[in-house]
Amino acid sequence: MLKRILAVSLALNFSPAAQAASPITLLSEQCIDYQVSLSQAQESPTQLDASVRLERELIGLFNLKDSVRFYRHYPLNAEDKEALLQCQLHLADEFDRLAHEPWLQTQSQNWSQSDSPGLRQFGQLLTQQIAEQIDQQQKAKIHTAQASISHGLKQKDLSLSIGQSQCRLTDEETDHADQTEQAFDNSIASYLIHQQDESCKRLVWQAYQVRAKQKNQAAISLIMATKQTIALEHGADDYASWALSHQLLATPAQVKHFLDSQTQLAPAPWALGAVLAKLSKVEVTPRSGEQLLDNIQAELLPFGLEFETVNVNMLRLWHNGRLLGDVFLDRPPKLQIAGSQLANPPLGKQEQPPALKEPKAQLSPLRQTVVGQQFGQLTLTLPDQVNDYRSQEQLVAAVAEMVSRLLAGGRYYLNNTLGDGQAIASLWLNQYLSQQLLPELSSNSREAELKAFSKQLKVFRSKLALSAYQTSDNRLYRDLSQEFGASFGAPWPGADDALYSFTGVVTQGPLYYLTLWHQRLAEQILSDTQLEATSVFELLLINEQQQPLDEQLTAIFGSAQSVATILERSQHDQPKPVH
């Protein structure tokens, strides 16, 4: 693992001698000693100068946080995991210390009233970050409970006792499956594929969703109670109302309106495998990862973007002659089976070669671009082959996110990483590139059906998460069984217990819907704007004038876009065919 990412350790400013040590050890040493000083910012003669000096201090803290997040993507031993955890805790404590500084509290509010759009946005985001800080005891409760919940869902000893004889599979149907107990983590998918009885499928799938209820119920209840206390401390009726108050959809009622507009019928989860098996895959031209990356680069040229090849494992991205940052290519070893394994199987056995999966394309950000402060650095996992629709789609999405991160035109880290803008920009570019490079999905294809199912699962879980953080008197979704049926065609009496089957309810909570919201806005921009793609690109991805989202949408759609107008579009505009 460390060999793959050794080149990236250069981004942490280590000397050549220091690089002989583990990057994580060196990161941990930097992290524990790091402290932000406000002295220079406090002595600044102007608000703008103070913000620039503060940014120079904060960016070191943010870079360390991003480095911790980067290394956590890789398999780590217990010692390295502990080192990163301690680093993470120290950085959180350091930011908490800053948030309690009276000068910073006052200054962030002053900046939020500035005439300069970029400085105003920075002040607003910093003020929000300060307001969202919670005391150490509450933070410890939430983090401990979240770790417990994640652990509970990963437990290997969870099992399902199938008491009804008609729901048990025979040895012939399931090869090595135990007839009395089905191990949840490995055999649930196999069971749903092999079981022909629809009622059995439904019973087993529903039981799977509450597999960790007993283990996680107390931890989830603790998180909800703690967050409700936080909301009351901020003068809100409940945590959902408080968490949404800084969003474009600023109330639970607006989020409900949006989620209802996105509710459509999809295959039931327990029947999904059987439905997909009857559909054909979308045919794509097989390509190497390198070839598709070249094709993406060609599509980006009209936007003024160019990739410079530094060496086989490193690219530099330029925009109209301006360096944006470096991209380290992580090229996993080619999947091969030794010839002797195929030509000379063990005597008497005709074994099939082992099923090998090509690693998927994914982006691992290491350093965020901040104009006037630093260039960006990211690692892109580049598969050797991308021979199906899904793998090509993943590479297009990863490159779109890479470009949006490196191209962000703000002079403050928070402006380039928080809020709706960056996510919508990335999704718009992803959809634009997909239109150019991937075949259109027909409605009766396997990929389109899987997308429809995934969206409805996200819709239902968003309703569940919203409801979970509202008080019983304020709850907008009174019957989650009915909401489940609206998405999947059949009610689920125990739908409330789906709370225990995914971690998003405790990590994102009422904001779980955001990816749906960003995706829908990106779709509307792609389909409804009268502007040329290059103009939309300038507005969304570069945004040199640091316009807020409402001004960007007004320019894109040609008229002022209130929340009500956007929600109306979401309700009545049917999405174009998915790419």
Side-chain angles (χ1 to χ4, degrees):
M1 180 276 296
L2 295 179
K3 183 177 179 181
R4 272 195 203 171
I5 58 180
L6 183 58
V8 185
S9 68
L10 292 171
L12 300 177
N13 300 319
F14 299 147
S15 68
Q19 289 176 34
S22 161
I24 291 177
T25 300
L26 294 167
L27 170 62
S28 178
E29 290 173 358
Q30 280 191 329
C31 180
I32 297 302
D33 294 334
Y34 194 81
Q35 189 172 19
V36 176
S37 171
L38 298 178
S39 59
Q40 289 192 0
Q42 289 172 320
E43 295 169 1
S44 300
T46 66
Q47 286 197 7
L48 180 60
D49 188 56
S51 71
V52 171
R53 292 186 181 187
L54 176 65
E55 179 69 15
R56 288 174 188 158
E57 288 287 330
L58 287 178
I59 206 163
L61 184 146
F62 294 141
N63 285 343
L64 288 169
K65 286 179 66 176
D66 287 341
S67 296
V68 170
R69 206 175 291 121
F70 172 84
Y71 285 114
R72 289 173 72 93
H73 282 101
Y74 294 90
L76 301 172
N77 58 40
E79 184 179 351
D80 285 341
K81 285 181 181 179
E82 179 63 24
L84 291 182
L85 176 61
Q86 292 305 316
C87 179
Q88 202 169 18
L89 292 173
H90 172 75
L91 295 175
D93 290 344
E94 179 63 9
F95 191 83
D96 184 68
R97 179 187 68 80
L98 291 173
H100 286 87
E101 289 281 350
W103 178 85
L104 190 60
Q105 293 175 352
T106 301
Q107 197 64 47
S108 67
Q109 292 173 359
N110 290 339
W111 288 329
S112 69
Q113 305 300 318
S114 171
D115 293 333
S116 168
L119 183 55
R120 181 169 63 248
Q121 183 184 8
F122 173 63
Q124 291 169 347
L125 291 171
L126 186 56
T127 299
Q128 181 181 337
Q129 290 290 301
I130 291 172
E132 290 177 354
Q133 293 301 300
I134 59 178
D135 68 44
Q136 297 288 350
Q137 187 175 8
Q138 289 173 328
K139 191 182 300 182
K141 283 182 181 179
I142 291 173
H143 288 173
T144 302
Q146 286 176 341
S148 173
I149 291 163
S150 179
H151 179 71
L153 286 171
K154 293 176 182 176
Q155 285 293 289
K156 302 296 184 182
D157 59 349
L158 297 171
S159 61
L160 168 65
S161 295
I162 302 178
Q164 296 176 316
S165 58
Q166 72 270 22
C167 288
R168 298 176 187 171
L169 296 177
T170 65
D171 286 341
E172 289 76 14
E173 289 173 309
T174 190
D175 294 329
H176 303 294
D178 186 339
Q179 290 187 27
T180 58
E181 288 200 346
Q182 293 286 123
F184 273 94
D185 57 326
N186 294 323
S187 64
I188 181 67
S190 176
Y191 179 91
L192 294 176
I193 290 172
H194 290 97
Q195 177 60 261
Q196 300 302 308
D197 189 304
E198 191 75 11
S199 62
C200 288
K201 286 185 178 185
R202 185 176 67 253
L203 287 171
V204 170
W205 182 86
Q206 290 174 353
Y208 177 73
Q209 302 311 303
V210 294
R211 64 196 183 279
K213 178 178 179 179
Q214 187 174 359
K215 287 180 177 288
N216 287 343
Q217 193 165 17
I220 288 179
S221 296
L222 176 63
I223 287 175
M224 291 180 176
T226 304
K227 292 192 172 182
Q228 177 63 14
T229 299
I230 293 168
L232 293 174
E233 290 172 353
H234 285 84
D237 290 338
D238 53 42
Y239 185 76
S241 299
W242 182 70
L244 293 170
S245 61
H246 298 299
Q247 303 298 318
L248 191 59
L249 300 185
T251 67
Q254 289 178 333
V255 174
K256 180 182 185 298
H257 187 165
F258 169 69
L259 292 174
D260 290 346
S261 76
Q262 300 302 294
T263 303
Q264 297 172 331
L265 203 59
W270 51 84
L272 181 64
V275 171
L276 295 180
K278 296 175 183 177
L279 300 175
S280 58
K281 285 186 174 183
V282 172
E283 294 297 324
V284 298
T285 303
R287 310 181 213 188
S288 68
E290 196 78 52
Q291 288 173 327
L292 183 54
L293 185 58
D294 287 342
N295 296 148
I296 296 171
Q297 291 181 45
E299 294 295 335
L300 292 172
L301 279 173
F303 298 119
L305 291 166
E306 292 186 61
F307 289 78
E308 173 194 359
T309 301
V310 178
N311 56 51
V312 69
N313 291 318
M314 184 177 173
L315 302 173
R316 283 206 172 102
L317 182 61
W318 298 79
H319 178 251
N320 292 333
R322 178 171 71 92
L323 177 62
L324 302 178
D326 298 328
V327 181
F328 302 97
L329 298 179
D330 181 4
R331 300 173 183 270
K334 293 184 179 181
L335 298 178
Q336 293 180 340
I337 302 173
S340 58
Q341 288 179 279
L342 297 176
N344 302 299
L347 190 62
K349 294 184 179 180
Q350 297 298 320
E351 295 185 346
Q352 294 294 320
L356 299 176
K357 287 184 67 176
E358 184 79 52
K360 71 176 185 178
Q362 60 182 358
L363 195 69
S364 300
L366 178 60
R367 176 171 287 186
Q368 174 65 43
T369 298
V370 181
V371 174
Q373 297 284 356
Q374 63 184 23
F375 301 116
Q377 291 180 322
L378 312 98
T379 292
L380 174 66
T381 301
L382 186 66
D384 181 51
Q385 296 294 321
V386 283
N387 293 332
D388 57 29
Y389 182 91
R390 180 59 179 152
S391 61
Q392 293 188 8
E393 182 183 49
Q394 287 170 342
L395 182 53
V396 169
V399 175
E401 183 185 353
M402 177 188 82
V403 169
S404 69
R405 283 181 176 274
L406 291 176
L407 196 54
R411 295 182 176 273
Y412 304 95
Y413 177 97
L414 294 180
N415 293 16
N416 291 344
T417 56
L418 297 183
D420 298 304
Q422 200 272 337
I424 295 169
S426 174
L427 288 166
W428 174 84
L429 183 60
N430 177 16
Q431 292 174 25
Y432 172 83
L433 291 173
S434 295
Q435 258 191 4
Q436 311 305 312
L437 295 167
L438 300 179
E440 186 173 297
L441 292 186
S442 62
S443 58
N444 61 348
S445 67
R446 187 178 300 179
E447 290 79 3
E449 199 70 56
L450 187 57
K451 281 179 180 290
F453 168 78
S454 298
K455 178 179 178 179
Q456 289 311 304
L457 185 60
K458 176 78 74 173
V459 167
F460 170 70
R461 285 178 166 178
S462 297
K463 294 175 181 179
L464 184 71
L466 177 66
S467 182
Y469 288 95
Q470 292 188 285
T471 61
S472 56
D473 291 341
N474 295 338
R475 200 156 288 155
L476 296 177
Y477 288 111
R478 298 285 178 179
D479 188 347
L480 286 166
S481 174
Q482 180 181 336
E483 297 303 327
F484 183 86
S487 285
F488 300 112
W492 174 17
D496 294 72
D497 287 341
L499 197 68
Y500 305 103
S501 65
F502 73 112
T503 57
V505 75
V506 293
T507 54
Q508 296 160 277
L511 303 183
Y512 188 79
Y513 79 96
L514 274 175
T515 52
L516 285 169
W517 173 240
H518 294 154
Q519 181 74 28
R520 186 68 191 109
L521 277 176
E523 289 171 359
Q524 288 179 352
I525 291 169
L526 190 67
S527 62
D528 295 353
T529 185
Q530 301 302 309
L531 298 179
E532 295 290 332
T534 51
S535 298
V536 177
F537 183 88
E538 293 279 340
L539 271 167
L540 288 180
L541 281 100
I542 301 174
N543 192 18
E544 189 172 350
Q545 302 304 316
Q546 294 292 280
Q547 290 180 291
L549 181 61
D550 57 346
E551 292 183 14
Q552 290 176 298
L553 294 178
T554 297
I556 287 169
F557 293 122
S559 61
Q561 298 293 302
S562 66
V563 169
T565 304
I566 297 171
L567 288 173
E568 201 67 20
R569 284 178 178 271
S570 296
Q571 186 167 5
H572 296 296
D573 290 358
Q574 291 301 314
K576 305 295 183 186
V578 183
H579 285 79

